[in-house]
Amino acid sequence: MKILVVLKMAPDVVEELDIAPSGTALDPRGQRMVVSESDEHALEEALILKERHGGKVTVLALDAPDVDEVLFAALAKGADRAIKIKGAAKGLATSVAADTLAQVIGSELGLTPADLILCGVQAVDDLDGLIAPLIACQLGLPFLGIVTGLWVDAPGSRAFAIKEYPGGVRGEFEVAIPAVFGIQAAERPPRYIPVAKVRAAMKSHAIECIPAPLPVNAVTPLIQVLAMRKATLAPRAEILEGSPDGVSARVCEILAGRDLI
Amino acid sequence: MTGNIWVLAEQWRGRISEITYEGLALGRELADQSGARLEAVLVGHNVRALADTLGRADSVLCLDHPLLAEPVASVYVDVLAPLLAERKLAAFLIPLTNVSLGIGSWLAGQLRVPAVNFCKDARFVDGRLQARCVLYGGKIEAEVAVCGEPAILGIWPGARPPEKGRSAQPPAIEQVTVFPDQTPSVRFRRYVEPARGDTDLRQQEILVGVGRGIRNKENMALAENLAGVLGGVVCGSRSVVDQGWLPLSRRVGKSGLTVKPKLYFALGISGAPEHVQGMRKSGCVIAVNTDPQAPIFDVAHYGIVGDVIELLPALTRAIRARKPPADDA
């Protein structure tokens, strides 16, 4: 069984985000890029599937700042092959990224047919679409999203997946494979890998680089970002300032005033 | 006049989702602005009775078939794509929820039409549809123009008050005959109900919500101590539950539970829309976060910019001094 995992780099939303002088994009200067959170879970689920059923895990990513570290970390965790696509479109166009990835998946020797394609369910910058259903659409494969559990039957012709619904309800689905899954969360938390093992992977493994199949300028954008700004959704909270003891005393007054203590 | 405005009337387990009414309210504004008709699209099986609740629309397209009983994205797309291709449409508003996620992206990919996710607002400007979207975990807003029709707008919860999308007036109903694939590649098997947890968060008056800022499992004891002196219960955001630091029954948010306690502490929670959707109606929200720009401070009544690990011992100590825990009484 082949398991292909698509990894996407996205700005770290824990850090402060600034708008570029153009006013239509984030300022990349000083911006920390991390692998999209649900993509980490997609990789973990792939490694769990490999442990459970055997097979090979290939990770695939578009070129982006710090993506090499992420790919080497995936190899250190147990992925068998890492591929970086160079020269693809940058920016917010998830649809263009999906087209590029689908072309690579559909055409590159050794990737067809991948029995399972795992993507994160959603990234914080998926402005013009979600990558998993877009790849499924391009490849004509089945898709199921918001998946939190996945296993295959013995002959390897069907997958069974758990999808999350509101209120903690889950649904069990049967999916013909090959198929694309949007992973919300792996069955276990993503495994920790020490930096030393990542460094060792850098010496013992190589990342395969391939050119993007689509010329970026040939793509006609279907949406246009007119402006970006920091969100101000509502009147902000009253900020309590001071030492931990000082603000704690103030919180006590607030709670007492509301008969909560 | 542009094409009609469609809203996917999301139904799940026999009920119309609240976000459907938010979509109808926004869709009504767009239709009135452009002089087009607003049509709700109801997909499912034996759902005809639900159509009567969609009166904010001018009419309801009812796609009823046994194979549409459960909302499977690929099966829905199978019947919706031909309909979109044959009718003149300016925009299709689709809830971006756990039930409907994937339908919009797939439709856009298949029909090669523009899609915009995380939409909180939309309007026509000089005849061109523009949307306001919330990106990067709620930290950034983007104004986006679409280039082409129909545009698929993924509607984010909170776009409009749901009551603005309700009407007692029954709409006109058009039954649309559909022929879904008889052998779908994705088949629903069964629902798995949530395991009964040790406590029902929805019944609690005081909740101590914990997010990624708590850093590790060992620090969860700090939150437990605070909950203990308050007589409350610890709950968490998706990231904390996914790490295995809290059971699934303690998750608050879009795919977890929606709570309305009198007091909600948001400790190290950034305020991503996924979480906020589940706690924004709390009576009093006190948020602690190291990031002064964290969206949680837009939801909270009181905010403390700081490290929860440093604050929690002092806060617990101060509250204990005023209110002994029930166990010690």
Side-chain angles (χ1 to χ4, degrees):
Chain A
M1 181 171 65
K2 290 175 185 164
I3 309 167
L4 187 61
V5 182
V6 175
L7 298 176
K8 176 180 174 178
M9 302 299 284
D12 186 355
V13 296
V14 174
E15 306 284 324
E16 184 163 352
L17 302 176
D18 291 316
I19 308 296
S22 69
T24 61
L26 289 188
D27 190 342
R29 291 173 297 184
Q31 188 180 87
R32 183 166 173 257
M33 299 292 281
V34 293
V35 64
S36 183
E37 187 175 356
S38 55
D39 292 6
E40 274 198 273
H41 284 269
L43 172 60
E44 183 60 36
E45 191 65 28
L47 297 171
I48 291 170
L49 282 165
K50 179 183 169 183
E51 290 162 1
R52 188 184 290 153
H53 302 292
K56 300 279 186 188
V57 173
T58 297
V59 289
L60 179 66
L62 299 178
D63 195 8
D66 301 328
V67 74
D68 285 9
E69 278 182 38
V70 168
L71 291 173
F72 278 120
L75 290 166
K77 286 181 175 183
D80 301 282
R81 188 180 179 194
I83 297 173
K84 179 169 70 173
I85 303 172
K86 294 181 74 78
K90 291 181 171 59
L92 285 171
T94 301
S95 58
V96 178
D99 280 354
T100 305
L101 289 159
Q103 282 214 31
V104 169
I105 293 166
S107 64
E108 276 299 309
L109 190 65
L111 290 180
T112 304
D115 293 330
L116 301 172
I117 300 172
L118 275 52
C119 309
V121 68
Q122 181 173 283
V124 291
D125 57 356
D126 276 342
L127 180 60
D128 69 337
L130 306 177
I131 212 150
L134 285 169
I135 288 176
C137 176
Q138 293 300 312
L139 295 174
L141 295 178
F143 157 76
L144 187 69
I146 324 198
V147 169
T148 57
L150 192 57
W151 65 100
V152 295
D153 66 355
S157 62
R158 294 177 302 171
F160 297 92
I162 296 291
K163 170 181 170 162
E164 270 190 6
Y165 284 98
V169 176
R170 292 172 296 159
E172 188 181 304
F173 288 82
E174 178 184 330
V175 184
I177 56 176
V180 183
F181 296 91
I183 304 295
Q184 174 78 69
E187 293 162 53
R188 295 195 299 260
R191 63 196 67 190
Y192 171 74
I193 192 78
V195 175
K197 286 200 171 182
V198 178
R199 287 191 183 133
M202 288 175 173
K203 290 177 182 170
S204 60
H205 292 69
I207 295 170
E208 299 170 42
C209 293
I210 58 173
L214 277 178
V216 175
N217 294 332
V219 178
T220 307
L222 292 171
I223 66 169
Q224 179 189 3
V225 177
L226 302 173
M228 271 193 186
R229 57 179 168 269
K230 293 189 179 185
T232 49
L233 305 176
R236 292 183 63 80
E238 178 187 332
I239 299 297
L240 312 178
E241 294 177 332
S243 66
D245 286 331
V247 293
S248 296
R250 179 77 182 101
V251 169
C252 284
E253 289 170 17
I254 291 165
L255 298 183
R258 291 173 174 253
D259 290 328
L260 290 166
I261 57 172
Chain B
M1 190 182 83
T2 63
N4 289 344
I5 307 295
W6 279 11
V7 174
L8 181 68
E10 182 181 281
Q11 63 82 22
W12 183 57
R13 305 185 93 178
R15 294 187 62 181
I16 298 286
S17 306
E18 283 288 286
I19 194 171
T20 294
Y21 300 108
E22 297 182 23
L24 284 171
L26 179 56
R28 182 77 268 162
E29 292 176 21
L30 289 171
D32 290 347
Q33 198 185 353
S34 64
R37 285 171 58 80
L38 174 63
E39 297 178 311
V41 182
L42 180 60
V43 187
H45 185 46
N46 293 330
V47 290
R48 166 63 185 78
L50 298 175
D52 289 337
T53 69
L54 305 171
R56 201 77 177 99
D58 297 307
S59 61
V60 177
L61 307 181
C62 194
L63 286 62
D64 195 304
H65 193 282
L67 285 170
L68 301 173
E70 299 300 334
V72 177
S74 54
V75 181
Y76 272 33
V77 167
D78 195 28
V79 296
L80 287 169
L83 206 56
L84 254 78
E86 77 179 42
R87 304 205 180 192
K88 183 169 168 54
L89 201 65
F92 192 8
L93 281 55
I94 299 179
L96 212 55
T97 65
N98 281 21
V99 175
S100 300
L101 198 84
I103 296 173
S105 290
W106 196 319
L107 277 173
Q110 187 163 326
L111 300 172
R112 291 278 165 186
V113 296
V116 186
N117 275 339
F118 312 118
C119 293
K120 296 279 282 189
D121 198 6
R123 65 194 184 284
F124 287 99
V125 178
D126 298 329
R128 191 180 182 195
L129 187 60
Q130 291 185 10
R132 181 167 58 86
C133 312
V134 181
L135 295 171
Y136 303 108
K139 281 190 158 184
I140 300 290
E141 285 184 359
E143 291 287 342
V144 179
V146 300
C147 315
E149 291 185 347
I152 310 290
L153 303 186
I155 301 301
W156 198 242
R160 291 290 183 277
E163 52 271 21
K164 288 195 171 181
R166 298 183 199 276
S167 169
Q169 188 175 345
I173 294 172
E174 177 190 351
Q175 290 285 350
V176 180
T177 304
V178 290
F179 303 98
D181 185 352
Q182 294 293 310
T183 56
S185 52
V186 180
R187 288 177 183 272
F188 172 80
R189 285 163 61 95
R190 66 184 180 113
Y191 284 116
V192 181
E193 300 300 327
R196 183 181 293 238
D198 54 339
T199 184
D200 185 349
L201 295 184
R202 294 167 295 192
Q203 305 300 321
Q204 298 296 322
E205 293 194 340
I206 296 176
L207 289 173
V208 175
V210 178
R212 194 193 306 271
I214 201 75
R215 293 189 210 147
N216 58 50
K217 189 173 184 177
E218 289 65 39
N219 288 336
M220 293 295 291
L222 298 172
E224 292 285 359
N225 290 343
L226 176 63
V229 296
L230 286 166
V233 168
V234 173
C235 59
S237 66
R238 147 141 251 140
S239 57
V240 168
V241 174
D242 286 349
Q243 289 294 329
W245 301 344
L246 281 173
L248 191 61
S249 59
R250 298 288 187 97
R251 187 167 80 208
V252 169
K254 185 175 73 167
S255 53
L257 294 170
T258 299
V259 297
K260 287 189 279 186
K262 288 182 179 174
L263 173 63
Y264 190 92
F265 270 99
L267 305 175
I269 290 174
S270 66
E274 145 74 27
H275 183 76
V276 167
Q277 195 180 330
M279 47 65 72
R280 63 183 171 188
K281 293 182 179 172
S282 302
C284 176
V285 177
I286 300 177
V288 184
N289 202 289
T290 52
D291 180 3
Q293 301 300 321
I296 193 66
F297 291 129
D298 293 321
V299 180
H301 301 87
Y302 301 96
I304 299 162
V305 180
D307 187 342
V308 291
I309 308 305
E310 291 176 15
L311 178 72
L312 277 172
L315 183 57
T316 303
R317 204 165 46 240
I319 294 171
R320 183 179 286 127
R322 295 183 70 137
K323 179 193 172 190
D327 289 348
D328 293 355

